[in-house]
Amino acid sequence: QQQQQQQQQQQQQQYPITAQLSDGRIIRAAVAVLCLPPRLSAALALSPSLPPRVSSALNALPTWMADSAKVLAVYPTPFWRTELGLNGDIAGGWPLVEVHDASPPPPPEGEGAGLGALFGFVGVPRGG
């Protein structure tokens, strides 16, 4: 048991960050990078917790495009180019906020049209 405690202490020193997932699993790490909107970061249960001043500041920051979801659709060919003669970007209203042609460069001549990809933001209803 003493050896197990020593191993746990060594692991805690090597990986001081612990994250418990919603399914109960635990992940340990040496560093953590949060790629979340500030408001979501402020809502995390941290120990030690953020200072109240920092938490309040994060909660006060607006979340850009909070009511949008990112979407990537991949097609066998970029049919909007080959069949319709279209390319570029679309800016619209809800629910299709914006769409961009994200197709990879076409393959060399004679190797087909290549994949087509559209990337954009779709409006999602706000919870309330």
Side-chain angles (χ1 to χ4, degrees):
Q1 187 176 13
Q2 185 178 7
Q3 184 180 11
Q4 187 179 11
Q5 287 176 339
Q6 287 175 339
Q7 286 176 336
Q8 285 177 341
Q9 286 177 339
Q10 183 181 11
Q11 189 179 37
Q12 286 175 348
Q13 288 173 348
Q14 190 174 3
Y15 303 107
I17 297 171
T18 303
Q20 184 169 2
L21 306 180
S22 60
D23 65 4
R25 289 182 295 153
I26 293 177
I27 299 173
R28 298 193 64 82
V31 296
V33 177
L34 298 178
C35 300
L36 300 169
R39 282 189 183 166
L40 293 180
S41 298
L44 294 174
L46 303 174
S47 178
S49 59
L50 293 172
R53 194 176 109 247
V54 173
S55 185
S56 294
L58 290 173
N59 275 316
L61 289 172
T63 301
W64 179 72
M65 295 187 77
D67 58 351
S68 297
K70 292 180 184 177
V71 176
L72 176 66
V74 179
Y75 298 92
T77 64
F79 65 87
W80 53 94
R81 291 181 183 175
T82 57
E83 296 173 25
L84 304 173
L86 301 173
N87 67 11
D89 305 314
I90 300 169
W94 196 89
L96 235 112
V97 180
E98 61 183 72
V99 178
H100 306 278
D101 187 340
S103 303
E109 188 83 24
E111 293 187 25
L115 291 176
L118 295 173
F119 161 77
F121 297 95
V122 176
V124 294
R126 291 184 183 207

